[in-house]
Amino acid sequence: MTLEKFEYDNRIVRAFIIATVVFGLVGMLVGLTIAIQLFYPDLNLGIPYTSFGRLRPLHTNAIIFAFVGNSVFAGVYYSLQRLLKARMFSDMLSWINFWGWQLIIVAAAITLPLGITTSKEYAELEWPIDIAITLIWVVFGINMIGTILKRRERHMYVAIWFYIATFITVAVLHVVNSFEMPVTFLKSYSWYAGVQDALVQWWYGHNAVAFFLTTPVLGLMYYFLPKAANRPVYSYRLSIIHFWSLIFIYIWAGPHHLLYTSLPDWAQSLGTVFSIMLIAPSWGGMLNGLLTLRGAWDKVREEPVLKFMVVAVTAYGMATLEGPLLSLKNINAIAHFSDWIIAHVHIGGLGWNGFMAFGIMYYLIPKMYQTKLYSTKLANTHFWIGTLGIVIYALPMYVAGVVQSLMWKQFTPDGLLVYGNFLETVNAIKPMYVMRAIGGALYLTGAIMMSYNLVKTAKQGSFLGNEADEAPTLEKKKIVGGHWHSVLERKPVVFTTLAFVAILIGGVIEMVPTFLIESNVPTISSVKPYTPLELQGRDIYIREGCNSCHSQMIRPFRSETVRYGEYSKAGEFVYDHPFLWGSKRTGPDLHRVGDKLTESWHYSHMYEPTSTSPGSIMPPYPWLFENIIDPNEVLPKISAMRSLGVPYEEGYEEIAVQDYMAQANKVVNEIKSQNAELKDQVIVPESEIVALIAYLERLGKDIKGNSEETANK
C-alpha cells in the first residue's frame, strides 16, 4: 500500500481564531454597553449611532455571525482536514471564505449603527449584504464538498454529517427568508407581509439558532471532546439517532415563537408538538457527549479544555430542555415578551456556544504552535469567572421575567390592573438589570484573560503553518455488506441529498398552506395601506430599532386587552412589509397606541421621555427633530410596495407628495393645538419626528368600530 504525503493548512485556522477573539471581544463589549443602557439610559449618549435600538442588532450579529461564526469556521477547517485525511479542496477558496466573511462582518458593523436594517431578527442586514453572504456561503460549501470528494478516508465521521446539514440548511433558510424588494441600494422591503412574513422569519430565526449555533457546534463537540479526553465517542448508534431525528424535527419548531399571536392555530400547534419532540434527540446528543467522558473525570478536573466543554454540553442540555418547555402554551403565556427569554437565549449563547468556542481555542493554539498553554492556572480562573458570569447574568433575568409577567397580569378584586402603568413593572426589575450587567462584565473579563493567555502561548511557541501527514489513496471499490448507515456514510452525495429532503419537509408543510390557503390569513375590509407620510414614519421606526423594545401584537389575554385594547387580528397586517410584532417588551405594546396618546404627547416623549414618563429608561431621539426628509423619497417606496401587492392606485405617485405634505401639516397643527407650550415652536413638517408621529397615530385605528374579519372580494 502506497502512502501519499500531504499537508494540513493551519494558517486558515489561525486566521479564523484571531477573528473569533477580536470580534468576540467587540460583540461582548457592545452587549455589556446595551445591558448598562437599560438601567443607565444616559449611556445612549444622545446620538443615533450608540442608541439601544441600533446597538442591539449589532450585538446579536457580532456574537452570532462574527464570534460563533468564525469559531465554527476555525473548528470545521481544522477538523475536516484531519477527518478526511486531505488538505482543503482549495486554499484560494479558504481565503475567499475568510476575507469575504470578515468584510460582511465589517459591513454589518457599519450599516447597523447607521440604522440600515430590515428589522428582522438575526436577518437585519440589507439586500446587498445578503447577496454577499450567499456567495461566501457557497464558496464555503464548494470548499467543504470538494474536500469530501477528494478525501483519503472513506468513512465520513459523525462531525461531518453535522457540517453537511449545516451547509445545506443555512443556505435554504437564508435564501428563502431574504426574498426582498430593493427600493434603493441600502433599502428594501420584505417580499412577505404580516402573518406570512412572521412565519417565514421565525422559521428562519429558530432554525438559524438550530443550524448555525447548534448543528455545527455539535459537529465540533463530536470531534474536539473525544480528542481532548482521548476517549472514543460513547455511542455510534446514538450519534445516528441524534443526527437524523434532530435535523428532521428541528425545522418544524419555528412557530413556537408565535404562540397566541395571529398565526393560524394549526401552525402554532405543529410548532409546539415538534418542539416537545426535540427534547429526545437534543438530550441524546448531550448524553453522548457527557458519557464520552466516562472514566476520564480525573482529567476533567485537571484540563481547562474539558472543563469548558463539560459546562458547554450541560448548558446545551439545559437550553434544549427549556426551549421545548417554553413552547407549551401555559408556560409561553408567562414567559413570552419577558426577560425570561433573554435568560434562555444567553444560557445557550454564553454557555453552549461561548464555552465551546473557548475550549476549542484553548485546545488548538497550543497544538498549532507546538507548545503548552502559557498558563493553565489562568485558563482555570477564566473558567470559574466565566461560569460565575453566566450564573449572575441568567438568574436575575429568570427572576425579572417572572416578576414582569406576574405584574403585567395582576388584577385587583374590582377587576382593575394593579400595575396599570407599564413603567411600574420596569422600575421593579432595574436591580436585576444591574446584576445582569455585572454578570456580563465578569464574562467579558474572562474572555480578555483568555486572549492574553492565547497571545502569550503563541509567543512562546513556533507556528506550524503546514502540518505534514500521510495516508493511502482512497481506492474506488464496490461496497459489500456493513451496517446500513456505514454504507450511507461512504456516499456523500446520497447522504447530502437525504439530509436536504429531511430538512425541507417541515418547512414546506408549514409554509405552503399559509401562503396558498386564503382562509389562513383573512382580510379586514377597513384595513387600508399606509399613507406616504405613515410609510416614511414606519421606516424611521424600523431604522431606530423601536421594535427591539416594543411589540405590536396584543395577545388574547384579559390582562393584555384591558391594558392595550382589542387583541390583534391577522388581517390587520396584510400591508406590513416587514411585520413588526417584536419579541421583547422592554416598553409597552404599541399596536393600539394610535387610540391612546396624542400627537403632542409623542412629540414631547421622543424629545425627552422622562418629561411624559418619569423614570423611563427609553433614550431621547433629538436627531428626529433635526433631520429633514425630502418628501420625494417616498415615491420609489410606493412603487416597490405596489409591486409587492399593496393596492396603491396606478399613478398615485403624481399626488403622493401632495398627500404627504397635507398630512404632515395636519400633524404639526395637531401638536401645536394640543400643547400651548409648543404653540410658538418652529416644527418643520418635513422633519422625521412628524413622519414618525403620523405612523404611531395610525396604529390600531383601522379596525376601530369594525373589528369583524371579512374577506375582501
Side-chain angles (χ1 to χ4, degrees):
M1 182 181 294
T2 305
L3 294 178
E4 287 188 346
K5 296 182 183 295
F6 56 93
E7 294 178 328
Y8 301 126
D9 181 10
N10 285 338
R11 288 187 173 87
I12 190 66
V13 179
R14 177 178 63 176
F16 276 116
I17 288 177
I18 292 170
T20 300
V21 173
V22 172
F23 287 125
L25 294 176
V26 172
M28 292 173 205
L29 180 61
V30 175
L32 179 59
T33 300
I34 61 175
I36 296 173
Q37 285 176 341
L38 287 176
F39 62 85
Y40 184 64
D42 287 350
L43 195 56
N44 284 273
L45 303 181
I47 57 177
Y49 316 114
T50 54
S51 67
F52 180 91
R54 297 199 190 187
L55 287 184
R56 181 186 174 273
L58 177 63
H59 165 62
T60 56
N61 278 266
I63 293 300
I64 295 171
F65 300 109
F67 173 58
V68 179
N70 276 309
S71 72
V72 164
F73 282 129
V76 169
Y77 273 100
Y78 183 88
S79 61
L80 193 68
Q81 296 182 79
R82 286 150 182 83
L83 289 170
L84 298 175
K85 299 294 182 185
R87 192 180 180 90
M88 292 304 298
F89 175 67
S90 166
D91 285 3
M92 182 179 72
L93 291 181
S94 297
W95 287 105
I96 291 173
N97 182 183
F98 174 77
W99 287 112
W101 197 254
Q102 309 320 311
L103 287 173
I104 288 166
I105 291 166
V106 171
I110 294 171
T111 57
L112 292 173
L114 288 173
I116 300 168
T117 174
T118 67
S119 85
K120 299 177 75 170
E121 200 97 22
Y122 316 138
E124 291 92 348
L125 304 181
E126 270 292 358
W127 67 272
I129 308 175
D130 281 339
I131 292 173
I133 292 169
T134 304
L135 295 175
I136 296 303
W137 194 252
V138 169
V139 166
F140 166 63
I142 292 171
N143 211 12
M144 180 177 70
I145 293 168
T147 309
I148 293 172
L149 293 177
K150 76 167 193 176
R151 69 195 187 281
R152 295 182 179 85
E153 174 62 54
R154 184 173 299 279
H155 166 258
M156 290 195 304
Y157 178 66
V158 57
I160 299 172
W161 315 345
F162 283 97
Y163 300 160
I164 290 172
T166 297
F167 168 67
I168 58 175
T169 311
V170 169
V172 171
L173 292 169
H174 175 69
V175 170
V176 173
N177 190 50
S178 297
F179 280 150
E180 47 213 359
M181 173 64 68
V183 179
T184 63
F185 178 63
L186 289 172
K187 175 64 183 174
S188 66
Y189 291 125
S190 174
W191 191 266
Y192 318 103
V195 170
Q196 295 165 341
D197 192 41
L199 176 63
V200 173
Q201 160 57 28
W202 281 112
W203 170 78
Y204 163 88
H206 178 78
N207 291 302
V209 172
F211 288 91
F212 197 87
L213 301 178
T214 302
T215 54
V217 185
L218 285 169
L220 300 180
M221 178 199 80
Y222 273 113
Y223 178 83
F224 286 101
L225 186 63
K227 280 286 186 182
N230 197 25
R231 304 280 299 178
V233 169
Y234 172 68
S235 172
Y236 168 68
R237 293 179 185 274
L238 188 54
S239 301
I240 297 171
I241 297 169
H242 176 209
F243 173 76
W244 288 106
S245 56
L246 190 78
I247 69 166
F248 176 76
I249 294 172
Y250 231 131
I251 210 79
W252 297 73
H256 78 215
H257 290 264
L258 300 169
L259 300 183
Y260 291 111
T261 68
S262 300
L263 190 73
D265 285 341
W266 64 266
Q268 296 183 39
S269 298
L270 268 182
T272 297
V273 169
F274 279 88
S275 297
I276 297 300
M277 291 167 63
L278 264 177
I279 295 174
S282 298
W283 272 51
M286 178 194 70
L287 293 173
N288 215 8
L290 293 179
L291 290 174
T292 297
L293 296 172
R294 69 200 189 288
W297 290 104
D298 287 340
K299 195 171 183 180
V300 173
R301 282 192 288 270
E302 299 169 3
E303 291 288 338
V305 170
L306 289 175
K307 283 190 178 76
F308 278 103
M309 291 186 178
V310 166
V311 170
V313 175
T314 304
Y316 168 69
M318 291 170 62
T320 52
L321 173 64
E322 185 182 20
L325 293 178
L326 285 170
S327 74
L328 295 172
K329 280 197 164 185
N330 53 348
I331 298 179
N332 183 276
I334 298 170
H336 193 54
F337 287 137
S338 80
D339 282 297
W340 184 333
I341 307 303
I342 306 301
H344 166 63
V345 167
H346 284 80
I347 288 294
L350 301 175
W352 166 234
N353 295 129
F355 267 35
M356 186 60 72
F358 296 153
I360 289 170
M361 287 188 284
Y362 277 126
Y363 176 86
L364 285 179
I365 291 298
K367 283 270 186 188
M368 294 193 299
Y369 280 88
Q370 307 173 86
T371 186
K372 291 184 177 180
L373 186 65
Y374 171 71
S375 173
T376 300
K377 184 177 180 181
L378 191 60
N380 283 323
T381 304
H382 171 202
F383 168 78
W384 288 112
I385 287 178
T387 302
L388 186 63
I390 295 171
V391 173
I392 294 177
Y393 185 108
L395 286 182
M397 289 299 93
Y398 283 119
V399 173
V402 174
V403 169
Q404 280 173 313
S405 187
L406 294 180
M407 292 180 75
W408 292 342
K409 292 176 179 293
Q410 191 170 352
F411 283 87
T412 68
D414 296 325
L416 302 174
L417 287 166
V418 173
Y419 304 100
N421 185 345
F422 191 93
L423 260 177
E424 294 177 280
T425 70
V426 175
N427 290 324
I429 61 173
K430 279 185 180 177
M432 287 84 158
Y433 285 158
V434 175
M435 291 298 294
R436 171 171 73 171
I438 292 171
L442 287 172
Y443 194 88
L444 174 58
T445 300
I448 293 170
M449 293 168 62
M450 178 199 69
S451 305
Y452 172 79
N453 206 355
L454 295 182
V455 169
K456 296 294 285 185
T457 301
K459 284 185 175 180
Q460 74 182 13
S462 175
F463 180 65
L464 185 60
N466 293 293
E467 186 177 334
D469 200 357
E470 58 183 21
T473 305
L474 185 66
E475 297 179 2
K476 293 183 178 180
K477 61 182 181 180
K478 188 176 180 180
I479 300 171
V480 180
H483 186 271
W484 69 269
H485 201 269
S486 67
V487 174
L488 187 60
E489 290 158 25
R490 300 171 192 174
K491 298 183 175 182
V493 175
V494 176
F495 189 99
T496 302
T497 302
L498 291 175
F500 177 70
V501 171
I503 64 98
L504 210 58
I505 294 171
V508 169
I509 290 176
E510 284 179 344
M511 280 192 275
V512 169
T514 308
F515 280 84
L516 298 184
I517 301 175
E518 201 171 309
S519 62
N520 277 315
V521 188
T523 57
I524 302 174
S525 58
S526 60
V527 174
K528 305 299 181 187
Y530 296 105
T531 66
L533 184 66
E534 292 160 0
L535 184 61
Q536 194 74 279
R538 191 174 197 269
D539 286 343
I540 294 168
Y541 183 94
I542 289 170
R543 185 192 73 193
E544 299 304 332
C546 300
N547 53 307
S548 292
C549 292
H550 296 281
S551 59
Q552 288 186 31
M553 174 52 60
I554 303 170
R555 300 178 295 174
F557 301 140
R558 178 181 171 226
S559 59
E560 296 202 12
T561 55
V562 170
R563 185 184 297 277
Y564 301 121
E566 190 170 355
Y567 71 90
S568 303
K569 316 291 196 305
E572 295 183 73
F573 305 101
V574 292
Y575 303 131
D576 284 9
H577 299 265
F579 85 112
L580 293 175
W581 295 358
S583 56
K584 170 75 168 65
R585 281 182 185 154
T586 304
D589 188 277
L590 299 182
H591 195 210
R592 305 278 179 242
V593 73
D595 276 333
K596 294 180 176 295
L597 300 168
T598 64
E599 286 86 349
S600 66
W601 188 94
H602 288 302
Y603 188 88
S604 299
H605 185 64
M606 298 302 293
Y607 190 78
E608 179 47 68
T610 55
S611 68
T612 56
S613 309
S616 173
I617 60 173
M618 176 177 146
Y621 292 87
W623 56 91
L624 298 181
F625 298 77
E626 300 164 2
N627 294 346
I628 303 301
I629 305 169
D630 178 358
N632 289 292
E633 286 181 15
V634 82
L635 301 182
K637 297 181 179 182
I638 290 171
S639 179
M641 283 292 191
R642 184 189 295 111
S643 299
L644 293 171
V646 179
Y648 291 112
E649 294 180 3
E650 286 292 338
Y652 178 62
E653 287 86 341
E654 296 177 11
I655 61 169
V657 172
Q658 182 181 333
D659 285 358
Y660 184 105
M661 290 307 302
Q663 186 178 7
N665 284 311
K666 183 180 178 182
V667 171
V668 171
N669 291 334
E670 289 289 340
I671 293 170
K672 292 189 173 186
S673 67
Q674 291 163 2
N675 189 334
E677 295 180 5
L678 299 173
K679 187 175 181 179
D680 297 325
Q681 187 165 330
V682 176
I683 302 175
V684 180
E686 295 91 345
S687 60
E688 290 184 342
I689 186 63
V690 172
L692 179 60
I693 290 173
Y695 169 66
L696 293 172
E697 280 296 307
R698 167 69 180 272
L699 291 175
K701 287 186 174 179
D702 277 353
I703 68 164
K704 188 176 182 181
N706 183 14
S707 61
E708 183 179 350
E709 298 196 22
T710 55
N712 285 324
K713 300 296 183 183

